[in-house]
């Protein structure tokens, strides 16, 4: 079974920072890992993705320059460092993974999901 367990969500003031963590387990590719955000009343959208091992990274426009996705293979963990947070960053953040052979930059290819962690920026 694929298991993705997020943590690190919190309530912060605008301009603050948070680091989200996603512990990954299970027998699957783990080549494409990503973070998505679902804002209140909106559809879930991709925020950042990483090609693990190759370190290629992709960011949505709203995250570029403020968020950084990274990995620690020894800990089977993917991180999302979020700086200069804005109220529009508020939402539930989900860790996601795609099957082997997926295009890591294609948000639609992500089919495995964690339970989400709430981020509130005021």
């Amino acid at each position: 079974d694929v298991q993705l367990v997020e943590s690190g969500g919190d309530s912060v003031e605008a301009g603050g920072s948070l680091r989200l963590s996603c512990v990954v387990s299970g027998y699957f590719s783990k080549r494409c890992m990503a973070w998505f955000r679902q804002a209140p009343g909106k559809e879930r959208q991709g925020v950042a993705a990483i090609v693990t091992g190759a370190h290629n990274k992709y960011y949505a426009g709203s995250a570029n320059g403020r968020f950084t996705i990274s990995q620690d293979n020894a800990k089977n963990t993917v991180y999302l460092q979020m700086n200069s947070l804005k109220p529009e960053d508020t939402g539930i953040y989900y860790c996601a993974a795609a099957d082997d052979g997926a295009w890591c930059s294609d948000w639609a290819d992500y089919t495995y999901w964690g339970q989400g962690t709430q981020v509130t920026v005021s």
Side-chain angles (χ1 to χ4, degrees):
D1 286 349
V2 175
Q3 286 197 328
L4 308 172
V5 181
E6 305 98 331
S7 62
D10 205 345
S11 296
V12 297
E13 292 186 349
S17 298
L18 282 174
R19 188 177 79 159
L20 306 183
S21 300
C22 172
V23 178
V24 181
S25 62
Y27 184 74
F28 69 107
S29 170
K30 305 181 185 71
R31 186 175 64 88
C32 299
M33 300 296 301
W35 286 95
F36 284 67
R37 174 177 64 227
Q38 185 164 22
K42 296 187 178 181
E43 293 186 354
R44 190 158 48 190
Q45 295 183 321
V47 173
I50 186 169
V51 182
T52 60
H55 297 283
N56 290 10
K57 301 177 182 181
Y58 307 94
Y59 295 97
S62 61
N64 217 0
R66 299 188 299 125
F67 293 3
T68 302
I69 189 170
S70 62
Q71 62 180 98
D72 184 334
N73 289 334
K75 295 182 178 179
N76 288 323
T77 302
V78 178
Y79 301 99
L80 183 67
Q81 177 68 44
M82 304 187 293
N83 299 327
S84 302
L85 283 162
K86 304 175 182 180
E88 50 264 44
D89 296 320
T90 293
I92 302 173
Y93 283 72
Y94 295 91
C95 181
D99 282 320
D100 197 18
W103 287 99
C104 299
S105 58
D106 189 343
W107 305 120
D109 277 3
Y110 288 86
T111 56
Y112 301 103
W113 303 94
Q115 83 288 350
T117 186
Q118 177 71 46
V119 172
T120 303
V121 185
S122 59

